[in-house]
């Protein structure tokens, strides 16, 4: 018999905390690289390559391919846009 388990609120909070910590580290590394003169577009492409390679290593090519199929709609919906403050 297979038992289905569901994430608890504590599990979901721990996951959010891990993601926030990871984002903080990446933001610091990104800022440092820009400060050192690395082009932002090069950073973005290297970051995407590294991220997709990690995902493929974890979940496999088919699962990652399915995941990226949904990216165009998410981009068009503004999910990755950063609101800029008006001056």
């Amino acid at each position: 018999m297979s038992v289905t388990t569901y994430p608890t609120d504590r599990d979901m909070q721990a996951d959010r905390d891990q993601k926030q910590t990871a984002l903080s580290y990446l933001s610091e590394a990104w800022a440092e690289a820009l400060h050192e003169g690395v082009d932002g577009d090069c950073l973005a492409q290297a970051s995407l390559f590294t991220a997709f390679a990690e995902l493929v290593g974890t979940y496999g090519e088919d699962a990652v391919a399915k995941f990226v199929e949904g990216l165009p709609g998410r981009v068009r919906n503004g999910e990755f846009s950063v609101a800029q403050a008006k001056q």
Side-chain angles (χ1 to χ4, degrees), residues 30 41-57 64:
W30 191 285
D41 184 63
C42 289
L43 279 170
Q45 290 186 39
S47 296
L48 286 171
F49 175 84
T50 302
F52 285 127
E54 179 67 24
L55 290 171
V56 167
V64 176

